[in-house]
Every structure is written in structure tokens, then in C-alpha cells.
Amino acid sequence: MEHLEYLFAAYSIIFAVIFLYVLFIWRRQAALDAELRTLEARMAALNESSTAADVSEPRTDI
């Protein structure tokens, strides 16, 4: 047990790296969720506007 401080330091470093990685993944997931909500809102707006355009203007090029 003469090198116990090195073992403690190694476990501390590994724990810190894993913690930082989980924190990074968590924040990235939150950013992706926000981006997904934004894209879904944009797609809904586009679908509503294209549906409104289809109903209000009959196609004459058929």
C-alpha cells in the first residue's frame, strides 16, 4: 500500500473524465432536443402554409 495516493489520483482522474463526458453528452442532447423542436415548428409552419396555398389557389397547370 505504498502507492495508494497514485491509485486515488488515477481513480479521481477517471471519475472526472467520465463525469465531464456525461455532462457533455447531456448538454449536447439538450441542444439537439431544442433544435428538433425548432425544426418541427418550422415544418409545421411550412405544412400549414402549403396547405393554405393549395386550398386557396387551384392549380391550373394540370
Side-chain angles (χ1 to χ4, degrees):
M1 290 288 180
E2 67 184 61
H3 298 293
L4 193 58
E5 64 273 0
Y6 294 118
L7 183 64
F8 179 73
Y11 274 107
S12 298
I13 290 170
I14 290 171
F15 178 76
V17 168
I18 291 172
F19 178 76
L20 290 174
Y21 180 69
V22 168
L23 184 64
F24 170 77
I25 295 297
W26 177 50
R27 291 190 59 175
R28 180 67 180 142
Q29 182 64 37
L32 287 173
D33 286 341
E35 185 178 356
L36 179 62
R37 284 191 300 274
T38 302
L39 291 173
E40 286 174 342
R42 288 176 62 189
M43 287 299 295
L46 285 173
N47 285 337
E48 289 174 4
S49 67
S50 68
T51 303
D54 289 342
V55 171
S56 64
E57 298 175 11
R59 292 182 62 180
T60 58
D61 62 339
I62 302 178

